[in-house]
Amino acid sequence: FSKQAKDADVALFYYAGHGLQVDGENYLIPIGADIETKEQVALETISIGLVIKTLELTSNHQRLNVLVLDACRSNPFQTWSRSTGGGLAQVNPPNGTLIAFATSPGSTAADGVNGHGLYTGELIKQLDGHQRIEDVFINTRVAVEQKSHGQQSPWELARLRGKYYLK
């Protein structure tokens, strides 16, 4: 990912699956991970901090970085000390980066149909039009909130350095 992102005008990292927080660090759980203890988390998962650091280190000042996390945000290991069950920890995006979450902190994301979660299904619809990148995620949020009757509310963190449009 870092080799391809280095020379790109836009770097997009998309993840759909399970995410959790342990001791203030966020992790993405890959298929096939076998995690039974807190110590196994760092060995069996991908740190969101590592993904963000990769985007930051390979970025030039003009590149747009987009990190989309369609993660359910619940923690099945809430009994671990200092591990919180309230979703993912606060993430600070580097300059030129937009981080989009399928749901707000402390909430879980709904499963959808056709192999996609509700969030991804609505995001796909928005990616088909010509609009600013911020509008893609605003319109996705509105649609998800409507379809979930307010039970799921996506959110974004952004430190964009310009206006970016999808064509």
Side-chain angles (χ1 to χ4, degrees), residues 15-134:
Y15 175 81
H18 196 83
L20 60 86
Q21 175 194 163
V22 176
D23 294 341
E25 180 70 31
N26 298 311
Y27 297 94
L28 305 174
I29 303 175
I31 293 172
D34 184 20
I35 304 170
E36 295 180 13
T37 67
K38 179 177 167 179
E39 293 73 25
Q40 289 176 309
V41 171
L43 300 173
E44 294 279 335
T45 65
I46 298 168
S47 163
I48 293 175
L50 178 61
V51 174
I52 291 171
K53 194 65 163 172
T54 299
L55 290 172
E56 189 174 21
L57 291 174
T58 63
S59 184
N60 59 44
H61 293 292
Q62 290 78 35
R63 187 175 82 198
L64 169 64
N65 297 311
V66 180
L67 176 62
V68 179
L69 301 172
D70 188 355
C72 67
R73 301 173 64 100
S74 62
N75 186 345
F77 309 111
Q78 293 179 22
T79 58
W80 294 339
S81 64
R82 292 185 51 203
S83 176
T84 61
L88 298 178
Q90 178 67 35
V91 177
N92 295 315
N95 283 333
T97 302
L98 184 144
I99 303 174
F101 297 88
T103 190
S104 55
S107 300
T108 57
D111 291 332
V113 294
N114 299 326
H116 299 294
L118 174 60
Y119 177 78
T120 294
E122 294 304 316
L123 178 60
I124 289 169
K125 293 175 188 175
Q126 293 301 318
L127 291 172
D128 197 32
H130 176 76
Q131 57 185 326
R132 288 182 335 145
I133 192 75
E134 297 98 320

